[in-house]
């Protein structure tokens, strides 16, 4: 993934900063790893409200429909069309019928998806941040799109960069920049330094790896 | 994990297991997995061969001849299921708000209360005026005794999350703590940045 021309040191430990960065961390109130200077926010688990509401609504609708029809039949009315149809289909189609197999596959897939949703934390859109030292009960998150916007602005501040695209993943940040003038290698070094500094400003609890690619564009 | 999250996740896992189990049961019988692999399902296993149907006539006859208690029992089970599903659905839609918070020292004097909206509006006004912040929205949730603060901040292009958080902690949040005399509530801050066109900062 990383192009071969990446300078060594950037792909190492996530907390490693390039040597070109001036030691600005000493003035930052959110310096990473400093004792007593803030703490890391752990990822919170999503309550899965929307999925739970959907599943609850489906169960509710099915139960109420069945209830209404059972009571209607007890009261002497004929069963509803959907119930007769459903009972006929279930009574006549063998389980190797293509519709039965399709239905079974869909049910199993939805089941797997629900189990995955139940067991994973979710909130993949939000990156946990370090909390400031004065507020121990504060938990902060930055959305990935917002981080991308801030990093793109920082990248455009580097002289020679004409355009930049930033993709913020949960563990890695990919930056692609078009170089309009100056030596691409020096622009790339500057970009690496500036983005490392800006990433420190983002106060991310787990600083992601930054992968920079530059492309010469002189048109 | 909050109690609601634990409940939702348990029920979702249960629903997922039921769907997965039912689907696999039909699949195994439909593709005749038992015979190919020489497996003998235990006695009473619902579906064993590809020719089986889900709703056999033997089943229907057995259910219909259960006696007077069968249909009342079915109706009771359906009512119970519907009520539990309704309760689960409403639990997702409800947001607990404290209404008002007791303030004025410990123990709080009677009748001195602060509306949650007043507190959240005050925090939002001060947070929205911080440098680098475009917009702030604050909600107070939970019970009066254990309320929580949720803050959503939209950063301007000049804003930096680290310094904004420090300023938020030193400004609006410490003001709120000083003015209400309440201990620090758990606070969740969500930061976003406004999308804007790429431009060079001169």
């Amino acid at each position: 993934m990383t192009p071969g021309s990446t300078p060594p040191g950037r792909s190492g430990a996530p907390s490693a900063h390039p040597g070109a960065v001036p030691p600005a961390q000493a003035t930052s109130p959110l310096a990473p790893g400093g004792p007593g200077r803030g703490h890391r926010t752990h990822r919170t688990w999503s309550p899965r409200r929307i999925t739970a509401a959907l599943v609850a609504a489906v169960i509710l609708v099915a139960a109420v429909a069945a209830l209404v029809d059972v009571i209607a039949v007890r009261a002497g009315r004929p069963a509803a069309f959907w119930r007769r149809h459903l009972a006929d289909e279930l009574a006549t189609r063998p389980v190797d019928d293509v519709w039965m197999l399709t239905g079974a596959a869909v049910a199993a897939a939805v089941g797997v998806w629900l189990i995955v949703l139940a067991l994973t934390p979710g909130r993949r859109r939000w990156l946990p941040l370090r909390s400031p030292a004065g507020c121990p009960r504060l938990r902060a998150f930055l959305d990935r799109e917002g981080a991308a916007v801030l990093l793109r602005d920082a990248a455009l501040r580097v002289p020679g960069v004409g355009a930049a695209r930033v993709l913020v993943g949960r563990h890695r940040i990919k930056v692609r920049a078009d170089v309009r003038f100056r030596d691409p290698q020096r622009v790339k070094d500057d970009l690496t330094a500036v983005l490392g500094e800006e990433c420190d400003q983002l106060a991310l609890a787990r600083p992601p790896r930054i992968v920079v690619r530059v492309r010469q564009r002189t048109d | 994990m909050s109690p609601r999250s634990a409940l939702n996740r348990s029920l979702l896992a249960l629903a997922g297991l039921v769907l997965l189990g039912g689907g696999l049961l039909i699949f195994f019988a439909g593709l005749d997995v038992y015979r190919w692999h020489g497996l003998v399902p235990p006695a009473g296993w619902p579906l064993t061969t590809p020719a089986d149907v889900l709703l056999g006539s033997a089943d229907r006859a057995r259910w219909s001849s259960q006696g007077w208690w069968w249909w009342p029992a079915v109706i009771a089970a359906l009512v119970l299921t519907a009520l539990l599903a309704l309760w689960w659905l409403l639990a997702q839609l409800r947001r607990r708000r404290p209404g008002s918070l007791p303030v004025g020292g410990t123990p709080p004097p009677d009748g001195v209360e602060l509306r949650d909206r007043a507190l959240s509006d005050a925090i939002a006004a001060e947070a929205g005026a911080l440098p680098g912040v475009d917009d702030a929205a604050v909600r107070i949730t939970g019970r009066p005794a254990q309320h929580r603060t949720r803050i959503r901040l939209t950063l301007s292009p000049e804003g930096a999350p680290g310094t904004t958080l420090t300023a938020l902690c030193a400004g609006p949040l410490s003001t709120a703590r000083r003015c209400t005399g309440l201990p620090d509530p758990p606070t969740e801050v969500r930061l976003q940045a406004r999308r804007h066109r790429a431009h060079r900062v001169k």
Side-chain angles (χ1 to χ4, degrees):
Chain A
M1 192 62 83
T2 308
S5 58
T6 303
R10 274 318 299 163
S11 53
S15 60
H17 292 286
V21 177
Q25 291 97 319
T27 56
S28 164
L30 292 157
R37 317 204 68 162
H39 62 96
R40 288 165 52 142
T41 301
H42 292 286
R43 214 166 144 190
T44 52
W45 284 51
S46 152
R48 298 286 189 218
R49 286 177 52 215
I50 295 172
T51 323
L54 279 178
V55 174
V58 168
I59 295 175
L60 181 64
V61 167
V64 167
L67 186 63
V68 166
D69 202 54
V70 165
I71 291 177
V73 169
R74 285 301 96 192
R77 299 222 213 121
F81 171 75
W82 63 264
R83 187 171 161 203
R84 274 177 290 152
H85 185 68
L86 186 67
D88 282 349
E89 292 291 326
L90 290 183
T92 50
R93 284 189 191 271
V95 285
D96 61 349
D97 183 85
V98 66
W99 284 107
M100 295 300 283
L101 289 179
T102 311
V106 170
V110 172
V112 168
W113 182 235
L114 288 182
I115 292 171
V116 166
L117 283 182
L119 298 182
T120 52
R123 288 202 174 139
R124 297 161 55 92
R125 204 187 126 195
W126 296 95
L127 298 169
L129 302 183
R130 291 191 299 271
S131 307
C135 290
R137 301 188 75 183
L138 183 144
R139 296 197 293 189
F141 304 88
L142 174 66
D143 88 322
R144 278 161 40 187
E145 261 183 59
V149 168
L150 293 172
L151 288 173
R152 186 201 58 193
D153 285 354
L156 287 179
R157 261 176 256 144
V158 175
V161 173
R165 285 189 55 205
V166 180
L167 284 176
V168 177
R170 292 191 299 128
H171 307 290
R172 181 167 52 195
I173 295 174
K174 284 190 208 168
V175 182
R176 271 185 290 174
D178 290 350
V179 178
R180 301 274 174 186
F181 55 92
R182 290 177 74 207
D183 174 25
Q185 188 55 48
R186 292 195 43 205
V187 171
K188 183 172 181 173
D189 292 346
D190 284 0
L191 261 180
T192 308
V194 165
L195 288 174
E197 206 176 337
E198 179 69 18
C199 208
D200 203 48
Q201 293 276 310
L202 296 186
L204 298 177
R206 274 165 300 184
R209 239 175 71 191
I210 304 179
V211 180
V212 180
R213 281 185 185 181
V214 293
R215 192 170 49 165
Q216 186 117 36
R217 268 283 175 92
T218 45
D219 51 327
Chain B
M1 216 186 326
S2 70
R4 184 169 68 179
S5 176
L7 172 84
N8 282 355
R9 287 165 176 278
S10 312
L11 290 179
L12 285 180
L14 185 68
L17 282 176
V18 168
L19 281 176
L20 180 63
L24 286 183
L25 208 59
I26 296 177
F27 230 68
F28 284 169
L31 300 179
D32 214 5
V33 172
Y34 302 113
R35 195 166 55 94
W36 277 13
H37 293 271
L39 298 170
V40 180
W45 198 254
L47 299 167
T48 49
T49 64
D52 278 348
V53 293
L54 276 184
L55 196 60
S57 50
D59 290 336
R60 297 176 89 168
R62 200 174 67 225
W63 291 343
S64 308
S65 60
Q66 283 288 349
W68 65 269
W69 55 270
W70 172 251
W71 287 110
V74 168
I75 291 174
L78 284 176
V79 168
L80 199 63
T81 310
L83 285 180
L84 284 177
L86 183 65
W87 167 78
W88 191 28
L89 180 63
L90 290 181
Q92 312 310 314
L93 305 178
R94 189 186 53 188
R95 281 193 189 279
R96 196 190 285 275
R97 281 180 40 198
S100 52
L101 304 168
V103 289
T106 47
D110 281 344
V112 181
E113 287 185 334
L114 176 67
R115 296 295 301 171
D116 55 357
R117 285 301 272 278
L119 180 58
S120 60
D121 285 354
I123 296 177
E126 201 177 336
L130 290 175
V133 175
D134 260 0
D135 188 38
V138 181
R139 269 213 323 261
I140 313 278
T141 60
R143 297 162 211 269
Q146 327 165 296
H147 67 283
R148 313 164 65 85
T149 313
R150 290 161 171 272
I151 305 178
R152 193 175 273 266
L153 295 180
T154 309
L155 298 175
S156 63
E158 299 80 38
T163 45
T164 305
L165 279 184
T166 313
L168 182 75
C169 178
L173 293 182
S174 84
T175 310
R177 187 177 5 177
R178 213 172 51 238
C179 295
T180 58
L182 296 171
D184 226 6
T187 306
E188 193 180 294
V189 184
R190 303 265 184 117
L191 297 163
Q192 290 175 301
R194 183 151 288 167
R195 277 199 156 280
H196 57 91
R197 292 172 57 85
H199 61 275
R200 298 189 145 276
V201 182
K202 301 290 181 213

